[in-house]
């Protein structure tokens, strides 16, 4: 018994001399690890913590429904200090117009969202190969023109399109076709095509336009092509894979109007026209071909938190989006919808 007590005294002394310091160091390490590991929030909540709320940032993509400054996806965005450009470059000029499809890099504040960059997006520009009621074809790719869509010349006057006219089209990709939001007839428009690389006939192309080029890309890859159209084939002179605002390299909030589409291979889904993959953890329906505004986060794909389905009619769509309230959008977007 005496030996046991003696050993205990020696152990206690040793603990006091050295083990206590090791214990404290171990405890501090555990506390440090606990502070370093983020809570088990969703990707969307983590983005909200980083970018949401007053002072948050995000990207908005969709047609401009109204001016003053611009209204996109039901959100009024101040553009007084925004840098304006076009994608592809050298397409379009002057002020943004109703129906222009834009990417806007925005920031929220107490006075509402404001943009530091606005990029007009034209999925196709070139010669009209056929024209009919409610639709045209541009270089063989069908362009649907819903009721109420502006079809104008470069002065803004309404026009009727005919085969042989040259146009630049604002709109959204819906599989192999484009749903227009504004069509402008203009002379000497550069021939461009921006969308997903896919099979066309016995070859490859974008939309339903066959493209002749030396490069080969993975099916579904986003490409922008400049070239010459000979009546049946677009001969590529320059090809790029850069997305507007380098969207595939962004991390943060994204509100995008458009359509979901199934992947060319596999069982996944993506934002039609851009190939931005939908994160499989997205808690929304996978219905394809339904025009919607998607709210989510770009981080290892597009994690879509919510979607608002829209009618095709421009007037009905504006009415639907104008009625959106902060309580009807995900929490990390509510600051942008304060009216």
């Amino acid at each position: 018994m005496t030996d046991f007590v003696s050993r205990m005294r020696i152990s206690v002394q040793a603990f006091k001399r050295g083990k206590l310091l090791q214990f404290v160091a171990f405890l501090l390490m555990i506390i440090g690890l606990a502070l370093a590991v983020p809570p088990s929030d969703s990707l969307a909540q983590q983005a909200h913590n980083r970018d949401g709320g007053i002072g948050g940032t995000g990207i908005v993509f969709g047609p401009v429904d109204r001016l003053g400054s611009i209204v996109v996806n039901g959100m009024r965005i101040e553009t007084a200090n925004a840098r304006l450009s076009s994608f592809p470059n050298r397409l379009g000029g002057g002020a943004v117009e109703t129906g222009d499809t834009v990417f806007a890099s925005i920031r929220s504040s107490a006075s509402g969202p404001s943009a530091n960059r606005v990029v007009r997006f034209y999925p196709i520009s070139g010669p009209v190969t056929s024209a009919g009621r409610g639709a045209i074809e541009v270089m063989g790719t069908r362009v649907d023109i819903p009721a109420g869509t502006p079809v104008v010349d470069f002065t803004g006057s309404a026009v009727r399109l005919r085969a042989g006219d040259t146009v630049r089209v604002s709109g959204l990709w819906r599989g192999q076709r484009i749903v227009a939001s504004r069509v402008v007839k203009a002379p000497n428009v550069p021939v461009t095509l921006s969308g997903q690389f896919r099979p066309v006939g016995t070859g490859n192309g974008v939309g339903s336009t066959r493209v002749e080029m030396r490069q080969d890309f993975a099916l579904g890859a986003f490409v922008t092509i400049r070239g010459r159209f000979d009546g049946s084939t677009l001969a590529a002179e320059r090809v790029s894979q850069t997305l507007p605002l380098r969207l595939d390299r962004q991390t943060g909030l994204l509100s995008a109007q458009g359509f979901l589409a199934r992947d060319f291979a596999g069982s996944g889904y993506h934002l039609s026209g851009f190939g931005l993959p939908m994160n499989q953890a997205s808690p929304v329906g996978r219905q394809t071909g339904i025009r919607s505004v998607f709210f989510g986060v770009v981080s290892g794909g597009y994690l879509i938190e919510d979607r608002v389905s829209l009618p095709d009619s421009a007037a009905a769509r504006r009415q639907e989006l104008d009625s959106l309230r902060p309580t009807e959008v995900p929490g990390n977007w509510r600051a942008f919808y304060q009216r």
Side-chain angles (χ1 to χ4, degrees):
M1 182 68 179
T2 302
D3 290 343
F4 174 75
V5 172
S6 297
R7 286 196 297 270
M8 286 294 294
R9 286 174 178 169
I10 291 171
S11 298
V12 170
Q13 291 171 3
F15 178 82
K16 289 180 177 178
R17 287 195 302 270
K19 298 296 184 181
L20 180 60
L21 294 176
Q22 295 180 19
F23 175 76
V24 170
F26 176 75
L27 184 61
L28 290 174
M29 181 183 71
I30 293 298
I31 293 172
L33 288 172
L35 291 174
V37 176
S40 57
D41 289 337
S42 65
L43 287 173
Q45 185 60 46
Q46 291 177 34
H48 170 56
N49 294 339
R50 181 179 64 252
D51 294 325
I54 300 300
T57 61
I59 293 175
V60 176
F61 169 70
V64 174
D65 287 324
R66 284 183 286 110
L67 300 176
S69 290
I70 60 174
V71 177
V72 182
N73 296 350
M75 184 189 312
R76 183 174 295 278
I77 302 169
E78 175 57 54
T79 57
N81 298 315
R83 180 160 59 95
L84 178 62
S85 60
S86 297
F87 187 100
N89 292 333
R90 298 190 296 276
L91 272 179
V96 172
E97 300 290 349
T98 301
D100 283 347
T101 309
V102 300
F103 285 88
S105 177
I106 65 171
R107 174 177 295 278
S108 67
S109 67
S111 59
S114 61
N116 55 44
R117 284 196 67 188
V118 175
V119 180
R120 287 177 290 214
F121 174 67
Y122 300 105
I124 195 167
S125 65
V128 175
T129 46
S130 71
R133 184 181 297 274
I136 59 175
E137 288 187 358
V138 179
M139 297 187 291
T141 290
R142 182 182 172 98
V143 178
D144 293 330
I145 305 177
T149 301
V151 180
V152 298
D153 62 17
F154 65 94
T155 70
S157 301
V159 295
R160 183 173 181 177
L161 298 174
R162 296 177 174 82
D165 292 338
T166 54
V167 296
R168 64 171 186 259
V169 177
S170 297
L172 309 173
W173 280 104
R174 183 180 183 179
Q176 286 186 268
R177 64 178 60 183
I178 296 167
V179 181
S181 54
R182 185 180 181 88
V183 181
V184 177
K185 175 185 174 182
N188 303 318
V189 171
V191 174
T192 66
L193 186 56
S194 294
Q196 288 179 269
F197 187 73
R198 64 190 306 142
V200 177
T202 58
N204 293 310
V206 176
S208 296
T209 302
R210 183 170 177 174
V211 178
E212 183 182 282
M213 58 184 173
R214 296 179 180 178
Q215 302 96 319
D216 195 17
F217 300 96
L219 294 180
F222 179 84
V223 293
T224 295
I225 300 163
R226 295 176 181 271
R228 294 173 291 102
F229 184 70
D230 65 5
S232 62
T233 302
L234 173 59
E237 296 175 341
R238 179 185 297 180
V239 181
S240 168
Q241 285 193 277
T242 303
L243 278 163
L245 290 183
R246 296 188 175 272
L247 189 62
D248 53 330
R249 302 182 186 180
Q250 299 289 338
T251 299
L253 301 178
L254 171 64
S255 167
Q257 190 172 150
F259 301 85
L260 279 186
R262 293 190 67 92
D263 289 346
F264 289 84
S267 58
Y269 297 82
H270 61 268
L271 187 62
S272 186
F274 300 104
L276 188 64
M278 177 183 178
N279 189 305
Q280 294 303 301
S282 300
V284 296
R286 269 60 170 170
Q287 299 92 337
T288 60
I290 298 176
R291 186 174 187 144
S292 303
V293 175
F294 302 100
F295 296 95
V297 179
V298 178
S299 182
Y302 189 17
L303 181 69
I304 301 174
E305 298 177 82
D306 200 3
R307 64 185 292 175
V308 176
S309 298
L310 300 172
D312 285 333
S313 164
R317 185 176 66 246
R318 283 194 294 269
Q319 184 175 4
E320 180 78 18
L321 290 171
D322 285 345
S323 68
L324 273 180
R325 295 293 178 263
T327 54
E328 297 174 309
V329 299
N332 46 13
W333 281 99
R334 289 175 185 166
F336 296 96
Y337 281 86
Q338 301 294 339
R339 302 180 189 275

